[in-house]
Amino acid sequence: MSMDVTIVEVSPRDGLQNEARILPTDAKIELVRQLIEAGARRIEAVSFAHPRLVPTMADAEAVMEGVPRVEGVSYAGLILNQRGLQRALASGVDEVNVVVCASEAFSRRNQNCSTDEAMAAALEVIDEARSRGLFTTLTLATAFGCPFDGEVSLDRVVELAGKGAAAGVHELALADTIGVGTPNQVRELSQQIRSVTRDGAELRFHFHNTRNTGFANAFAALLEGVRVLDSSVGGIGGCPFAPAATGNIATDDLVYMVERMGLCTGLDLTALMTVSGFLTDQLGHEVPALLPRAGAFP
């Protein structure tokens, strides 16, 4: 298992969006600054969803205006539609992450349209974003299961991934939005999607640890040669539109596992634990990550 592992740090977006306490803009910018100091180079900093739907992300433009512009650091914004893309372009993001829900019920509740309608809109957004020189990611949410529809067809996920790849998206991210996935699903999805994308889009995974399978799933993805994983420092996060969808896999814990396996992330564990402490203070509760409690080894 050679090669480095790229971690996309999602705590400023997916991490904070499900928190009861809305952090002030300055604290969000400070979080990003500390993440960069810890070695983060791809950071999903903001969401351009409608502020009424995700009030914790209402200051996206102000956050992007204040984050440090450091060579080698790429900022991503999550978007759902053309309006979100226009806001993202004006804010100076480097990447756009366009979300389509693989499950019909979740798509209608989350985006007020069918999956096919969301995919058609996403492909238009991806085309325009690419023409503007932005790196593009298509995230297929609820790829492992839906809180309303239950099981999600593997064939349906593969079909949607194929459409994204055919449109020239740079990266395909499969999201276990509610944390129901298992390692065998990860391996099967990886293999099936690569059969339709060939040597095109890079494969990326986004795991939640809701049912304590997130790190096993990350390990399964590594075994399949996946080298891009999402995580959130401290393990904070979740989906405000899904019942009981608790936090992302913790960057602290993931980096410990990956680097003990002999792979490189470029992230500093000691610095990450300091960031987790900052979040504990800001959010008013202990973060879920285990490494800040136990410490690194040796």
Side-chain angles (χ1 to χ4, degrees):
M1 293 182 59
S2 60
M3 300 174 58
D4 295 345
V5 175
T6 296
I7 291 178
V8 181
E9 177 57 51
V10 300
S11 59
R13 197 280 303 175
D14 198 22
L16 295 180
Q17 75 170 7
N18 207 40
E19 288 289 333
R21 180 178 291 182
I22 299 179
L23 297 192
T25 302
D26 287 349
K28 295 177 181 179
I29 294 169
E30 175 61 17
L31 169 61
V32 171
R33 188 197 67 78
Q34 290 190 23
L35 289 168
I36 294 171
E37 288 293 315
R41 290 300 176 262
R42 288 185 69 187
I43 302 172
E44 194 168 88
V46 291
S47 167
F48 294 100
H50 195 290
R52 178 177 55 81
L53 299 176
V54 190
T56 51
M57 297 288 108
D59 58 348
E61 283 85 355
V63 171
M64 286 304 303
E65 185 177 356
V67 294
R69 296 292 178 168
V70 178
E71 185 177 357
V73 173
S74 181
Y75 291 118
L78 183 140
I79 62 175
L80 300 175
N81 50 36
Q82 278 285 348
R83 171 59 182 151
L85 175 61
Q86 298 312 311
R87 290 177 63 197
L89 290 169
S91 297
V93 298
D94 306 293
E95 311 179 23
V96 293
N97 183 5
V98 190
V99 179
V100 172
C101 302
S103 100
E104 196 68 27
F106 202 84
S107 182
R108 292 192 179 278
R109 292 186 184 223
N110 191 39
Q111 292 175 243
N112 199 31
C113 63
S114 70
T115 296
D116 286 336
E117 289 168 337
M119 177 58 78
L123 296 183
E124 291 180 3
V125 168
I126 288 165
D127 184 60
E128 182 173 352
R130 280 175 54 88
S131 74
R132 300 290 194 97
L134 297 184
F135 185 89
T136 57
T137 299
L138 172 64
T139 291
L140 298 178
T142 59
F144 292 81
C146 171
F148 312 113
D149 285 337
E151 299 291 349
V152 174
S153 164
L154 182 146
D155 291 341
R156 179 61 162 154
V157 177
V158 173
E159 175 195 354
L160 295 170
K163 290 181 178 180
V169 72
H170 295 104
E171 189 176 64
L172 285 164
L174 303 183
D176 187 9
T177 307
I178 59 171
V180 293
T182 54
N184 60 306
Q185 287 180 287
V186 175
R187 304 197 74 172
E188 189 170 12
L189 271 170
S190 299
Q191 293 163 15
Q192 291 293 322
I193 286 176
R194 283 188 172 133
S195 73
V196 298
T197 61
R198 306 300 177 188
D199 295 325
E202 181 86 14
L203 193 54
R204 163 180 162 189
F205 278 96
H206 177 102
F207 297 118
H208 285 225
N209 204 38
T210 312
R211 292 165 178 83
N212 208 33
T213 57
F215 292 97
N217 291 337
F219 178 65
L222 293 173
L223 290 178
E224 287 299 320
V226 173
R227 290 297 179 266
V228 186
L229 296 171
D230 288 6
S231 62
S232 171
V233 72
I236 63 169
C239 178
F241 306 106
T246 51
N248 302 270
I249 57 174
T251 304
D252 332 40
D253 300 349
L254 178 64
V255 169
Y256 174 80
M257 180 183 80
V258 168
E259 297 207 338
R260 287 282 287 175
M261 292 166 58
L263 303 176
C264 179
T265 64
L267 288 157
D268 181 85
L269 271 180
T270 301
L272 287 173
M273 288 188 283
T274 299
V275 184
S276 284
F278 169 77
L279 280 174
T280 292
D281 293 339
Q282 291 291 318
L283 297 173
H285 65 78
E286 190 172 35
V287 296
L290 297 178
L291 196 78
R293 307 179 201 183
F297 176 86

